[in-house]
Structure formats: C-alpha cells, structure tokens
Amino acid sequence: MNKSYKPTKNDLVCLFRVTPSKGLSLNEAINDVALESSTGTWCDVKSNKKYVNKLGAKAFAVSGSWVKIAYPQELFEEGSVPNILSSIAGNVFGMKAVKGLRLEDIKFPKKLLKSFPGPRFGIKGYRKILKVKDRPLVGTIVKPKLGLRTKDHAKVAYDAWVGGCDLVKDDENLSSQKFNPFEKRAAKTLEMCDKASEETGEKKGYFINVTAESMAMLRRADLVKELGGKFVMHDIITAGFSSLQTLRENSKLGIHAHRAMHGAFTENPEHGLSMMCVADFARMAGVDSLHIGTGIGKMRGGKREVKEIDDEIEKQSVGKTKHRLEQDWDGLKPVFAVCSGGISPGHVPYLMKNFGKDIIIQAGGGVHGHPDGTVAGATAMRQAVDATMEGETLERYGATHDELMRAMEYWGRIRF
Ligand code: CAP
Ligand code: MG
C-alpha cells in the first residue's frame, strides 16, 4: 500500500471494491489483491530479484472499500485481452482473503491501448454501409429464438427488413443446429437481405451469428464474405475474448457483439467484473456494435450504468465518475451501442432521450409480437423512431400511422 502514490502515464489503473474476509483488515486484503494480480504470491520467495520489485502493483487512493491499484504496463503482453485479464481479473476473485472483490473499471495507458486495433467500422462505418445519416438504426432479432427452419427464418428476416428494419440479427444461441444449419441460413437469409434492399431502396444488414470453435468460426465468417454479407455476430463472453480477437484479426466484416452470460459475473455489486470492463475490452479488441442494456427493458442494468457504458464506448475521452475512471481512447473508433431486451415502440422516446441518436434500437418480441405480425411490427418500430426524430409524440404520430397506433394500443409503454 502506497497511499501517496501518483500513477504515471505508463500505468494501467484498476478501480476495485474490496470487502476483506473475516479476520483481515482492509489493507491486508488490498495488499493480497495487489500482489496476486501482479508479481507476488502468499509469501516472499527466495527467487525474487530486485528488478522484479519494480514491477509490483501499487495500491493507492483508498476511499471506504474503494481502492485504485496501479500496474506498470510492462507487466502485460501487448494486444492480448486474455493476458491482461489473467492478471487483474484472474486468481484474485477466488482468494480466501476477500469476501467480495469487484473490478469496476480500468484505465489503460496509451501504449497498451495502441497495441489493440479497436473497431474497424464503428458508428461512422455502420452508417456509411447502411446509408443512414443520423437517426438511430432499427434492428430486430429473428424469433422464435430457436427452432425455426431455415426457409421460415429467412422469411421472418425478409418481413422485418421490408417492414422497415435496417438490421436483422440471429439470436445468441443460434449457431448451426440441424433445423437451421449455418451454411444454408447464410445463403438464404443474405439472398433475402439483397431482395429486401432492392425492393425498399434501402441498405439492409444481417448480423449472422458465427460463434463457434475458432476455426469453424473463421470458416463461417469467410463464407459470409463470399456471399456478400457485410457483418457477423459474435457471442464475446461465451466464445471468449481470444476468439473475438481471432475474428477481428482474420475477417474484414463488421462485428456485432452479443454479451450473453455477462450477468454471471457483472450483476453482483460486491463481486466480479463490471460490464464497463467488458465494454472496454470489447472496444479495444474491435467490436463495432455492442449490447449495453436499455435501462427500461427486460434485462437488468439501470439508466446510470447504461449511460456511463454508452459514453465509454462512444466518446473519444470520458471523465471519471464514482464507478468509472477517466479514459482517453486515443483514436480508437467509437462503438455503436445496442439497446435490446424487452423493447417495443413505446420505449423509443426514452431510449433516444437518454442515449441519443447513435444507438441501434433492437426489438425481437417488440417486432414479431405485434398483433398484425412482423411487417407491421417493424413498420411500427421505424415509425416510433421517425416520430421521435420529428419531435412528435407517439400518440399523435400514431393517429396517422396505423402500425404504431396498434402497437401502442397493444403494449403502451410496457414496464418490466
Ligand atoms: C432480445 C434478445 C437479446 C437480449 C439480451 C433476447 O430479445 O435477443 O438477447 O437483448 O440482453 O433474446 O432477449 P427481445 P442484453 O427483444 O425479444 O427481448 O441486450 O441486455 O445483453
Ligand atoms: Mg437474444
């Protein structure tokens, strides 16, 4: 512990919340965390060298259970998310010394940050591909999430596109099951994507889920490219950051990142790793769009948290808050934030008011559950965005737009 330590520009700084186990002081627990996450272990070792001591982590800025720990960047391999995680978010979470340990945020030093590629397209790149200047993008997830056969899957996607969606995506648990094998789905759905683009005169995109064992994932991404697709989707937590980095390195397609399973370690306020940290690594590793929550839909994650993550992934620099450290992203492109989970047209004004226009508003149930079906559901979502862009209430706009009116009568501003 070095309370007066001032981090240098070469330090990676972590913001932790530490709850010591019974019988240990806070300082002792912090010390154990700093040692285990950098150069040390439970006792001094005879094999130590003076030059190693210089690399030790330094805990400073303790306030209640909050502490910052600084790590010299030489401790980390450049360009490797798994390596950084194995240090600062590795053994420490299972140590008996801590009853609870939560890594809230990480501030990366410039050199380490620069060793990562960041998004290839990001917000501007997606807007250019889809030719949508400044409104939020409207997306949907094909539902039912599993079970549809390929032909029906492609038809649902087509209906959503012609109804007004810019983007259609697979669900996180659809990969290449017998009822809807990847190769067949890619061919059929991308064919429908082209057809919908031609018929509507709008550019349409398909986030097809390539999540699989890494070699199979790359083969699937190659096939998407061959078939003319512009995007793929990746389950960044279940497949892992190494898999994401492999995809970013070996494919030139836009990467939509789904975060299924993050709740297993982000939800406990006293233990685990925050979604903010996941978002940091996702931006560095190079996702172009990322689920960040909604503040209002079916998934956990309040407005403050979602807003802070939104800023973190889309701004060039962010200031510190209670839960966030300052960060200069030093040219890494902004990531498109995705608001998904229990969304229907009535939520659109809330999402745009709180998270701005640079969001992808995604609704699965909120499109395909429309009383008049998928086409009407997609139209209603698009009308809700158009209404809000024009500063009109959904009720007034709905008076002249039937699909939106029907959605509002059916769901209103449903709360979870
Ligand atoms: C949304 C969704 C997403 C969630 C995940 C789903 O569907 O496709 O996976 O948004 O949560 O299957 O639930 P609905 P998050 O629109 O039908 O709810 O975005 O918070 O990671
Ligand atoms: Mg889903």
Side-chain angles (χ1 to χ4, degrees):
M1 174 77 67
N2 183 348
K3 285 192 178 160
S4 60
Y5 181 74
K6 294 249 173 320
T8 74
K9 64 178 185 7
N10 295 320
D11 285 339
L12 176 151
V13 178
C14 289
L15 176 64
F16 280 109
R17 289 180 70 184
V18 182
T19 314
S21 289
K22 216 167 157 212
L24 277 192
S25 70
L26 179 65
N27 278 2
E28 284 168 326
I30 290 173
N31 204 35
D32 283 357
V33 170
L35 276 172
E36 186 69 30
S37 58
S38 61
T39 57
T41 186
W42 58 274
C43 62
D44 287 336
V45 293
K46 304 293 176 283
S47 45
N48 195 25
K49 305 281 180 212
K50 257 197 189 142
Y51 61 80
V52 176
N53 290 341
K54 279 197 209 136
L55 297 175
K58 290 153 202 90
F60 66 104
V62 182
S63 161
S65 58
W66 298 78
V67 60
K68 292 181 190 167
I69 302 183
Y71 303 80
Q73 66 182 358
E74 296 91 304
L75 285 175
F76 308 106
E77 179 183 345
E78 294 186 356
S80 169
V81 177
N83 173 259
I84 301 174
L85 283 173
S86 293
S87 279
I88 62 174
N91 293 349
V92 286
F93 290 116
M95 290 174 78
K96 286 183 177 166
V98 289
K99 186 165 164 235
L101 179 71
R102 177 152 168 107
L103 178 53
E104 287 283 352
D105 196 16
I106 308 155
K107 180 182 178 221
F108 296 91
K110 196 169 174 166
K111 190 154 171 267
L112 195 56
L113 201 61
K114 285 298 225 187
S115 68
F116 289 89
R120 189 184 296 277
F121 298 100
I123 297 176
K124 273 196 187 154
Y126 270 23
R127 288 199 176 285
K128 206 167 154 203
I129 296 172
L130 295 165
K131 296 198 182 345
V132 177
K133 253 209 189 125
D134 63 354
R135 66 167 169 81
L137 300 178
V138 178
T140 190
I141 312 101
V142 173
K143 303 278 172 177
K145 65 194 294 169
L146 286 183
L148 279 183
R149 295 190 182 140
T150 306
K151 198 165 143 263
D152 294 325
H153 173 102
K155 172 71 165 67
V156 172
Y158 170 79
D159 285 348
W161 280 312
V162 294
C165 284
D166 305 295
L167 295 162
V168 173
K169 77 168 201 54
D170 288 346
D171 232 317
E172 66 284 348
N173 50 357
L174 180 65
S175 56
S176 192
Q177 286 91 329
K178 291 232 164 63
F179 52 81
N180 195 357
F182 184 88
E183 288 73 16
K184 212 169 142 196
R185 179 168 83 254
K188 262 272 131 286
T189 314
L190 283 167
E191 189 189 314
M192 287 297 164
C193 184
D194 289 344
K195 184 167 146 65
S197 298
E198 264 166 43
E199 286 172 11
T200 58
E202 293 181 343
K203 292 282 172 216
K204 306 288 182 184
Y206 177 35
F207 295 160
I208 180 166
N209 188 4
V210 295
T211 305
E213 167 280 318
S214 295
M215 299 309 284
M217 169 186 76
L218 290 183
R219 282 195 297 276
R220 289 175 192 180
D222 284 348
L223 177 65
V224 174
K225 177 110 183 99
E226 255 170 56
L227 292 169
K230 300 275 186 286
F231 310 93
V232 289
M233 169 176 144
H234 185 260
D235 294 344
I236 61 171
I237 306 295
T238 56
F241 280 103
S242 164
S243 164
L244 170 62
Q245 291 196 270
T246 300
L247 183 62
R248 173 65 177 86
E249 188 69 34
N250 291 282
S251 137
K252 295 197 162 45
L253 301 167
I255 301 174
H256 174 81
H258 197 288
R259 58 178 184 164
M261 203 176 98
H262 78 94
F265 55 83
T266 60
E267 283 302 321
N268 182 343
E270 318 236 299
H271 195 75
L273 188 72
S274 70
M275 183 57 207
M276 182 71 78
C277 298
V278 172
D280 282 349
F281 285 114
R283 182 171 183 176
M284 287 157 64
V287 311
D288 296 288
S289 46
L290 172 70
H291 287 234
I292 64 163
T294 64
I296 199 171
K298 76 179 186 189
M299 305 299 283
R300 293 213 191 105
K303 187 167 83 184
R304 175 204 54 81
E305 184 198 337
V306 177
K307 177 68 187 141
E308 285 187 1
I309 299 169
D310 186 28
D311 287 347
E312 180 87 352
I313 62 169
E314 106 179 8
K315 295 200 165 151
Q316 265 321 311
S317 70
V318 288
K320 66 173 181 215
T321 64
K322 187 176 177 209
H323 298 260
R324 189 178 68 193
L325 297 169
E326 66 274 21
Q327 180 72 57
D328 183 347
W329 283 97
D330 205 44
L332 286 198
K333 286 183 185 149
V335 175
F336 232 128
V338 180
C339 296
S340 189
I343 294 307
S344 60
H347 299 126
V348 168
Y350 170 95
L351 296 175
M352 288 174 64
K353 178 166 168 250
N354 289 294
F355 312 122
K357 292 183 213 163
D358 280 331
I359 48 173
I360 300 177
I361 303 178
Q362 239 174 225
V367 162
H368 314 291
H370 188 286
D372 300 321
T374 295
V375 178
T379 306
M381 279 301 292
R382 185 71 177 269
Q383 288 168 347
V385 168
D386 292 343
T388 315
M389 287 295 289
E390 287 173 28
E392 198 50 281
T393 65
L394 300 187
E395 287 72 16
R396 265 205 300 271
Y397 203 81
T400 51
H401 294 82
D402 292 349
E403 294 85 353
L404 179 59
M405 181 57 94
R406 290 272 284 159
M408 293 306 291
E409 282 166 1
Y410 192 57
W411 283 306
R413 284 179 170 76
I414 187 170
R415 288 225 168 223
F416 293 86

